[in-house]
């Protein structure tokens, strides 16, 4: 099936060569943020006519270039640094965003043009070599990208035959060695430095930023594409200790590339040696890098420096070469291997280490505990590790949680957690294991095209989940898959297909999140279908074969495609999968089934009807502020939603549990939108009655052999059979089935029907089964997916005592998976209504008291989190209680009092684990319960307040939340989770009007020095409350967003700014002004909004064009936003990608203006100053006369009026002033008489400008006129007026060609009447339909 959208990746130009090996030598000055280096690469030509080598190179100054050891003249090679074009060379405004956008658009492409072009010298000859010679074989081995060509038939899997025909007689040419010496004076992109600035008290370290494409070329010249893969040798020279790093920077002056000082580039003051203790200064700097370390040598000439060398024998792309430098401590994670696994692997065990900053060793060991087991599992199950070792390095300020490089994963310190933290175990473990899986899929094996990204992402997450299944169990695995499936059915509406989304990952981070959600689920259901077929072991064998083929060279350049993967699945799965891939990979959306069933007693069959209802879903959806920027970018890139598939076809397993309890499976083929079929019935027994089952349970409790009485029925033992005694039923206020329901159940011929029993579909399923059948499925089906479906059915029902009884029995039965119990607790809150006597609330309180309180008391026991399932229930019950509301939408006092007691009297004194997340849950639940608008009773109604529900209790709740926040200031919780939760509570209460709005409560935490996530949370709360629209807060927000040194903070603030724009665009916070009502003869007529207003309101909420029009109308005239947004664009702390994002925002808000603001200085007055007086002999007078030595001095006083030409005293009676009103020559009355000015007139007809701004490629300019001299009668006045309005020109000035003589001394003192700066606005013309922007 073809793709629904066509966004192909731009093909690489015909370079005519490939890089087989690269050697990089870097000498890094850590404190100075600079480096010097040498890059040497082995280039293998593909043609004898190769004339030049084109490479990517950014922010570098190339010192020298050599080809095969022969120097290349600097005048012959061409280099264009895009970072020199990141700022307009004139004073611009936000309306000139398009001019800057045009300058940097090429570096922001997914595959930009190469910046460095090196012509091959004429004496370099490319000679053809014998393809079967030893030299040619070495070239072949050095080029894994041409070791094998992908067979025309990807189904050919015979490795022996492929190995025989792998090396084809291809013409080879002699390789060329290209070497470059370069220097980077100020590293802006590609590498991040932490702790080197004054005020930053963290341990200094640095690391590469490999989060996006084209970052490797910011550190060294290379062919920065994923297709260019080669082997590597990396040598890094740096200071030996922290003390040496700071001393080496203090001894040499700071020389920047443009000769500017640190304050001009936005750098902060460097830290000094006094900020460290002697122990810290003596810490050795450790270098960890991609590949295997070969040696570490102290420099003979400078003992304060050392060189660490690494080699990577596996071919990888430049973007997968990363390193980190800092006072790291090494931890050998292999010590966590079990003895039997160590013996099984033997010498094949992969060395695995972790690096962390001082003081984090214990946390690293706890966090990385399963990593050794994971790498052994992957190696044994799917294939050997592609590198010689594996390392994890934990650093600060990392924008993402993990970045993947060859044999090295650079991870954020945010992921580390101590043993006493339980809540992050599953989340962090999955992230780290996925980072390990990316070494196979993502680094070693790459997508052939961007559209094939789903294969790499899907397999990486699939094998991650398989490992988590091994350590967490099958219930946890299937429960998470079911949750993910339900989530996908919600978000996969109006989205492109899985195949097309791969080409959109550069648009927005949410595109990759969608891939990470859907692609492993598609592989999961593919594995379920393949596993049911004869002779197939599922998808694990296919993944192993893909790894093997990549290792032996079956995959060209290690790139996997969708076609190759599908053919491999068909070959090894022994099935045709075209339909599957067309639906789930090339198609969009998920099916929605409506199932009806009926038992036909005459035929003894179950008649079933399955209808697909995905076509009935609405095509339009309302815009959301969280996804607004993604929608805008997709609309700009002409990305449209995939067509809704009216029919999904494939097999579905239906399992009918008949009356005797035996499950019978039937596989039906779904082939049409409506499918009818009949399923035969096998059992003659009637369904067991509930009364019989009750006797069986009592018999189990009384140890009575009920079956020995000769009855025909079979004993059934099921879940949820707790709280069955009469005393417990009375104490818990439980209900049982009525006689009518019992009679209906006795007449049923089967217990329940399970649709898609083997989880082969990602779908929404609705079946018209009675509630008691869902109860049987909940209690008797051991599959957690079936149990969760039953809970979801009960969540959609109205409140009923019997449903509440079923849910509380599920909650109290410890045999259920804890996820089912938490889901039952959440559903139980829906049955807390006044109509049934608040039964749901009573049962939740009773369950919490039974599990976590002292006997016959409401006092909570001391916390004990040793049982993780019990801990999950203890968190789930308060969350469920907080959602209870009465019929007016108000939270009952019992709910608030219950939550307040649990928070106030929480005791963690004897617990081995931290309760910070549990306390945060209680705080969040209490604020959610308080954040309800109380009903406003009328004045004539008497309101009975519940006992204790007064203002004092309200203040006590607020005080308790604030007390936890204050405690967190003195005794910080893990990641300041209590402060973050307190801010979220205040945000919720402020939005509901419970507490007054106070921006200072949030602004306090946005300052530098607080934990990054706490600062981000404070900014997020300001955005949620709409306070960012306040001018001063907006200025602060933009300032932090553009200058904060942490990429993690900047990344989140960019997203929050997009959310703010989305909120304004869709009118989320807009207060709608209703037309005033009119009164006519006592009749009040309420006027409604006009049709046009309603259309505009609908358009801004549902269409991108309407939202953008509303956004521009509200913000385009905000001068404060214009000024500060452009300041952010010009910030030197932002990366190239971040500047591109800001320019994109400018394009949404403002109309471009192709103009330049030129500032010309007014001339200054000069005065004659007598330096000294001497005597000289006058021959005419024959005597000595006084002589004065004088000179002209320029004053700071600007001259803003035109002055008459100075005339000697003897000629003043007969002045000569030419009158040429229509002449283009210079008027003497307009001449400038100041040496500081280089022009003589405002009129010119030829010649370029001589200002510092670049010359404009147009002879016509529209200019602002300079201030006129007061008009006087006579032809001279007219001449001056007309000459001034004719344009800019004159001698050597703006457009002038002649020289101006030194101006004569002014005759009078003229006071300025305007500001001492003249601003001219130059508009560029349009030529050939295109605007010409200055270079």
């Amino acid at each position: 099936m073809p793709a629904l959208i066509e966004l192909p990746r731009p093909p690489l130009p015909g370079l005519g060569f490939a890089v087989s090996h690269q050697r990089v030598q870097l000498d890094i000055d850590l404190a100075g943020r600079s480096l010097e280096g040498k890059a040497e690469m082995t280039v293998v030509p593909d043609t004898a006519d190769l004339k030049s080598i084109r490479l990517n190179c950014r922010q570098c100054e190339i010192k020298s270039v050599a080809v095969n050891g022969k120097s290349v003249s600097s005048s012959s090679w061409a280099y264009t640094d895009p970072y020199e074009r990141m700022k307009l060379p004139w004073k611009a405004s936000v309306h000139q965003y398009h001019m800057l956008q045009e300058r940097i658009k090429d570096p922001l492409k997914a595959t930009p043009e190469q910046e460095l072009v090196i012509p091959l010298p004429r004496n370099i000859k490319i000679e053809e070599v014998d393809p079967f010679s030893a030299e040619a074989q070495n070239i072949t081995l050095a080029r894994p990208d041409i070791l094998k060509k992908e067979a025309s038939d990807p189904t050919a899997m015979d490795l022996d035959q492929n190995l025989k025909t792998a090396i084809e007689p291809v013409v080879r040419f002699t390789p060329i060695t290209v070497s470059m010496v370069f220097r980077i004076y100020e590293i802006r992109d590609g590498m991040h430095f932490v702790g080197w600035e004054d005020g930053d008290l963290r341990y200094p370290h640095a690391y590469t930023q490999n989060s996006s494409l084209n970052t490797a070329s910011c550190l060294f010249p290379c062919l920065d594409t994923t297709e260019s893969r080669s082997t590597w040798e990396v040598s890094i020279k740096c200071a030996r200790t922290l003390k040496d790093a700071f001393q080496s920077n203090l001894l040499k002056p700071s020389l920047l590339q443009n000769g500017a000082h640190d304050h001009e580039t936005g750098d902060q003051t460097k830290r000094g040696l006094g900020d460290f203790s002697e122990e810290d200064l003596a810490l050795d700097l450790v270098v960890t890098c991609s590949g295997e370390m070969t040696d570490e040598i102290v420099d003979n000439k400078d003992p304060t420096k050392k060189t660490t060398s690494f080699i990577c024998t596996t071919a990888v792309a430049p973007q997968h070469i990363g390193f980190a430098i800092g006072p790291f401590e090494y931890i050998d994670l292999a010590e966590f291997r079990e003895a039997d696994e160590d013996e099984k692997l033997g010498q094949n065990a992969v060395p695995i280490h972790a690096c962390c900053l001082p003081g984090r060793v214990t946390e690293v060991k706890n966090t990385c505990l399963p990593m050794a087991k994971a790498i052994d599992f992957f190696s044994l199950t799917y294939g050997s590790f592609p590198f010689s070792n594996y390392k994890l390095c934990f650093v600060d300020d990392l924008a993402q949680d993990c970045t993947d490089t060859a044999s090295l994963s650079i991870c954020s310190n945010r992921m580390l957690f101590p043993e006493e933290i339980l809540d992050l175990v599953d989340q962090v473990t999955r992230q780290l294991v996925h980072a390990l899986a990316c070494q196979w899929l993502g680094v070693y094996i790459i997508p052939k095209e961007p559209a094939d990204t789903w294969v790499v992402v899907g397999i990486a997450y699939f094998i991650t989940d398989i490992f988590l299944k091994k350590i967490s169990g099958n219930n946890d695995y299937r429960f998470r898959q079911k949750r993910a499936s339900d989530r996908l059915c919600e978000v996969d509406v109006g989205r492109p297909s899985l195949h097309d989304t791969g080409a959109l990952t550069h648009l927005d981070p949410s595109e990759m999140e969608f891939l990470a959600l859907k692609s492993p689920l598609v592989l999961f259901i593919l594995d379920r279908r393949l596993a049911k077929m004869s002779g197939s072991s599922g998808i694990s064998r296919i993944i192993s074969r893909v790894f093997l083929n990549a290792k032996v060279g079956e995959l060209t350049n290690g790139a996997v495609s969708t076609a190759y993967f599908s053919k491999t699945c068909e070959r090894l799965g022994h099935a045709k999968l075209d339909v599957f891939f067309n639906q789930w990979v090339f198609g969009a959306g998920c099916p929605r089934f409506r199932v009806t069933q009926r038992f036909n007693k005459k035929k003894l069959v179950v008649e079933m009807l399955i209808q697909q209802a995905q076509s009935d879903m609405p095509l339009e959806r309302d815009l959301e502020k969280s996804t607004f920027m993604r929608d805008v970018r997709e609309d700009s890139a002409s990305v449209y939603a995939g067509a809704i598939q009216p029919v999904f076809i494939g097999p579905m397993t239906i399992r009918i549990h008949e009356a005797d309890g035996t499950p019978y499976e039937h596989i039906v083929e779904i082939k049409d939108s409506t499918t009818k079929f009949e399923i035969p019935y096998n059992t003659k027994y009637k369904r067991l009655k509930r009364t019989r089952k009750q006797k069986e349970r009592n018999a189990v409790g009384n140890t009575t052999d009920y079956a020995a009485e000769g009855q025909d029925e079979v004993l059934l033992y099921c879940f949820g059979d707790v709280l069955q005694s009469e005393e417990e039923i009375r104490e818990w206020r439980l209900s049982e089935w009525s006689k009518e329901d019992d009679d209906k159940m006795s007449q049923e011929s089967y217990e329940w029907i399970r649709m898609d029993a083997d989880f082969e579909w990602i779908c929404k399923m609705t079946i018209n089964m009675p509630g008691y059948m869902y109860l049987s499925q909940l209690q008797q089906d051991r599959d957690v997916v079936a149990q969760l479906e039953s809970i979801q059915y009960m969540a959609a029902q109205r409140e009923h005592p019997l449903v509440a009884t079923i849910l509380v029995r599920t909650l109290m039965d410890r045999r259920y998976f804890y996820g089912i119990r938490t889901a039952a607790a959440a559903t139980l809150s829906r049955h807390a209504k006044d109509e049934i006597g608040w039964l749901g609330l009573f049962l939740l309180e009773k369950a919490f008291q039974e599990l976590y309180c002292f006997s016959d008391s409401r006092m909570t026991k001391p916390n004990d989190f040793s049982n993780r399932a019990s801990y999950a229930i203890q968190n789930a019950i308060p969350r469920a209680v907080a959602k209870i509301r009465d019929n007016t939408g108000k939270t009952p006092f019992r709910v608030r009092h219950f939550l307040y007691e649990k928070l106030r009297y929480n005791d963690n004194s004897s617990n081995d684990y931290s309760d910070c997340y549990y306390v945060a849950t209680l705080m969040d639940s209490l604020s959610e319960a308080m954040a309800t608008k109380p009903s406003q009773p009328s004045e004539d109604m008497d309101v009975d307040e519940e006992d204790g529900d007064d203002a004092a209790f309200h203040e006590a709740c607020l005080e308790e939340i604030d007390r936890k926040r204050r405690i967190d200031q003195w005794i910080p919780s893990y990641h300041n989770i209590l402060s973050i939760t307190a801010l979220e509570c205040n945000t919720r209460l402020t939005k509901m009007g419970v507490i007054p709005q106070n921006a200072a409560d949030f602004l306090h935490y946005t300052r530098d020095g607080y934990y990054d996530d706490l600062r981000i949370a404070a900014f997020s709360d300001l955005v949620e409350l709409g306070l960012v629209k306040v001018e001063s807060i907006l200025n602060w927000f933009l300032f932090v967003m553009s200058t904060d040194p942490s990429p993690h903070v900047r990344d989140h603030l960019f997203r929050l700014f997009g959310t703010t724009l989305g909120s304004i665009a869709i009118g989320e916070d807009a207060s709608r002004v209703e037309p005033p009502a009119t009164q006519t003869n006592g009749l009040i007529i309420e006027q409604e909004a006009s049709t046009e207003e309603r259309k505009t309101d609908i358009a801004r909420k549902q269409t991108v064009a309407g939202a953008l029009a509303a956004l521009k109308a509200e913000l385009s005239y905000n001068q404060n936003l214009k000024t500060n947004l452009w300041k952010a664009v010009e910030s030197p702390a932002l990366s190239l990608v971040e500047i591109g994002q800001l320019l994109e925002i400018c394009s949404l808000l403002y109309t471009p203006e192709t103009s330049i603001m030129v500032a010309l200085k007014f001339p200054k007055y000069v005065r004659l100053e007598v330096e000294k007086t001497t005597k000289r002999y006058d021959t005419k007078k024959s005597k000595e006369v006084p002589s004065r030595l004088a000179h002209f001095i320029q004053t700071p006083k600007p001259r803003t009026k035109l002055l008459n030409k100075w005339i000697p005293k003897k000629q003043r009676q007969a002045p000569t002033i030419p009158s040429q009103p229509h002449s283009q020559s210079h008027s003497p009355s307009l001449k400038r008489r100041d040496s500081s000015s280089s022009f003589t007139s405002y009129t010119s007809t030829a010649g370029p400008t001589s200002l510092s701004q670049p010359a404009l490629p147009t002879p016509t300019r529209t200019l602002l006129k300079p201030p006129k001299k007061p008009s006087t009668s006579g032809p001279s006045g007219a001449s001056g007026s007309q000459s001034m309005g004719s344009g800019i020109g004159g001698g050597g000035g703006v457009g002038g060609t002649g020289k101006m003589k030194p101006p004569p001394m002014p005759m009078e003192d003229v006071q300025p009447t305007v500001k001492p700066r003249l601003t001219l606005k130059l508009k560029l013309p349009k030529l050939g339909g295109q605007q010409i922007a200055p270079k």
Side-chain angles (χ1 to χ4, degrees), residues 796-816:
Q797 305 305 310
R798 291 184 56 85
E799 60 275 2
H800 196 279
L802 184 58
V803 179
T805 299
I806 297 171
L807 292 173
V808 75
R809 283 174 173 166
T810 304
L811 174 62
M812 298 302 294
D813 192 345
R814 290 180 171 87
R815 294 170 298 174
Y816 278 108

Side-chain angles (χ1 to χ4, degrees), residues 904-1192:
R904 181 72 178 86
Y905 301 107
N906 175 65
D907 183 8
N908 203 59
S909 57
S910 59
N911 192 13
D912 295 333
Y913 300 93
S914 172
D915 67 339
C916 59
Y917 278 93
Y918 174 63
V919 173
T921 299
L922 294 176
M923 294 169 60
D924 186 73
S925 301
L926 179 58
S927 67
E928 184 178 0
M930 296 175 62
T932 54
K933 292 182 179 179
S935 57
Q936 301 294 334
S938 58
E939 296 181 357
D940 56 347
M941 292 179 62
D942 295 332
V943 180
D944 296 332
E945 290 284 346
E946 296 184 63
D947 294 338
D949 189 10
D950 52 12
F953 174 76
H954 180 78
E955 291 297 328
C957 295
L958 296 178
E959 173 61 25
E960 188 62 28
I961 294 176
D962 193 63
R963 187 174 74 91
K964 300 298 183 182
R965 180 191 62 83
R966 295 195 304 269
I967 291 176
D968 194 46
Q969 292 180 344
W970 294 99
I971 308 175
S973 59
Y974 176 76
H975 287 182
N976 292 118
I977 184 62
L978 295 183
S979 296
I980 293 174
T981 306
L983 293 181
E984 293 174 350
C985 294
N986 290 341
T987 301
R988 182 184 289 115
L989 296 175
T990 302
K991 289 185 67 175
M992 297 303 296
V994 178
I995 60 176
Q997 181 174 283
N998 187 4
D1001 294 341
F1002 305 96
L1003 288 173
H1004 174 73
Y1005 290 100
T1006 62
R1007 298 180 302 172
D1008 193 13
Y1010 285 97
Y1011 183 64
D1012 284 349
D1013 286 350
L1014 178 57
R1015 298 178 62 203
I1016 293 171
F1019 276 115
S1020 178
D1021 294 332
L1022 289 173
V1023 169
E1024 190 68 23
L1025 293 174
L1027 294 175
V1028 179
K1029 301 176 184 177
V1030 180
E1031 181 174 320
S1032 58
I1033 300 179
L1034 176 62
N1035 297 347
W1036 171 245
F1037 184 93
L1038 292 175
F1039 174 78
V1040 177
M1041 184 180 71
S1042 60
T1043 61
D1044 197 273
S1046 172
H1048 174 62
V1049 174
R1050 294 201 307 268
D1051 178 67
H1052 278 79
L1053 293 189
F1054 268 91
R1055 298 191 187 190
L1056 289 175
F1057 191 55
T1059 303
T1060 302
L1061 296 179
S1063 174
I1064 298 174
I1066 64 178
E1068 184 182 60
D1069 300 329
S1071 56
R1072 188 171 180 178
V1073 180
E1074 298 291 343
T1078 58
Q1079 184 172 357
T1080 304
N1081 298 329
L1083 180 64
I1084 299 178
I1085 303 177
E1086 295 184 356
Q1087 301 179 6
E1088 295 184 356
S1090 64
T1091 305
E1092 292 298 327
E1093 292 179 355
R1094 290 197 298 269
K1095 287 183 178 179
T1096 303
D1097 187 64
I1098 294 175
R1100 74 183 300 181
K1101 293 182 181 300
Q1102 292 186 349
T1103 65
V1104 174
L1108 290 179
L1111 179 66
K1112 183 177 291 188
E1114 293 195 23
L1115 297 181
S1116 59
Y1117 299 102
N1118 190 325
Q1119 294 297 329
N1120 177 68
L1121 178 61
K1122 289 183 179 181
T1123 303
N1124 288 278
L1125 188 57
W1126 192 250
K1127 285 182 180 179
V1129 171
E1130 296 181 333
S1131 171
L1134 296 182
S1135 65
L1136 185 65
V1137 175
E1138 291 169 334
I1139 291 179
Q1141 293 176 358
L1142 286 178
L1143 293 177
E1144 179 187 24
I1145 293 175
C1146 294
S1147 67
L1148 303 179
L1149 301 178
Y1150 307 111
T1151 303
E1153 295 181 5
T1154 307
S1155 61
I1156 301 176
M1157 305 299 294
V1158 180
L1160 303 178
K1161 293 182 179 180
F1162 281 104
K1164 305 294 180 64
Y1165 283 105
V1166 295
R1167 61 186 178 88
L1168 182 64
E1169 182 174 304
V1170 179
E1171 184 175 347
K1172 61 181 179 178
T1173 304
T1174 60
K1175 292 184 178 181
R1176 66 178 178 85
Y1177 184 79
D1178 191 346
T1179 56
K1180 293 182 179 181
K1181 296 183 180 181
S1182 300
K1183 64 176 182 178
E1184 290 185 352
V1185 295
S1187 175
R1188 294 177 176 84
L1189 181 62
H1191 62 275
F1192 289 100

Side-chain angles (χ1 to χ4, degrees), residues 9-28:
R9 188 173 184 173
L12 287 174
L15 298 177
F17 68 92
V19 179
S20 62
H21 182 72
Q22 187 156 350
R23 181 181 293 108
V24 178
Q25 301 174 5
L26 301 177
D27 184 357
I28 303 178

Side-chain angles (χ1 to χ4, degrees), residues 1211-1255:
Q1211 302 177 6
R1212 289 182 183 178
Q1213 284 75 12
T1216 303
I1217 303 178
S1219 176
Q1220 299 176 356
H1222 301 288
S1223 174
Q1224 295 295 327
S1225 62
H1226 301 164
S1227 174
S1229 63
L1230 293 178
K1231 287 186 178 180
R1232 293 288 181 173
R1233 300 182 176 88
D1234 190 356
S1235 58
S1236 64
S1237 176
S1238 59
F1239 57 87
T1240 59
S1241 173
Y1242 283 100
T1243 307
S1244 175
T1245 57
T1249 65
S1250 64
L1251 296 178
S1252 60
Q1253 288 78 9

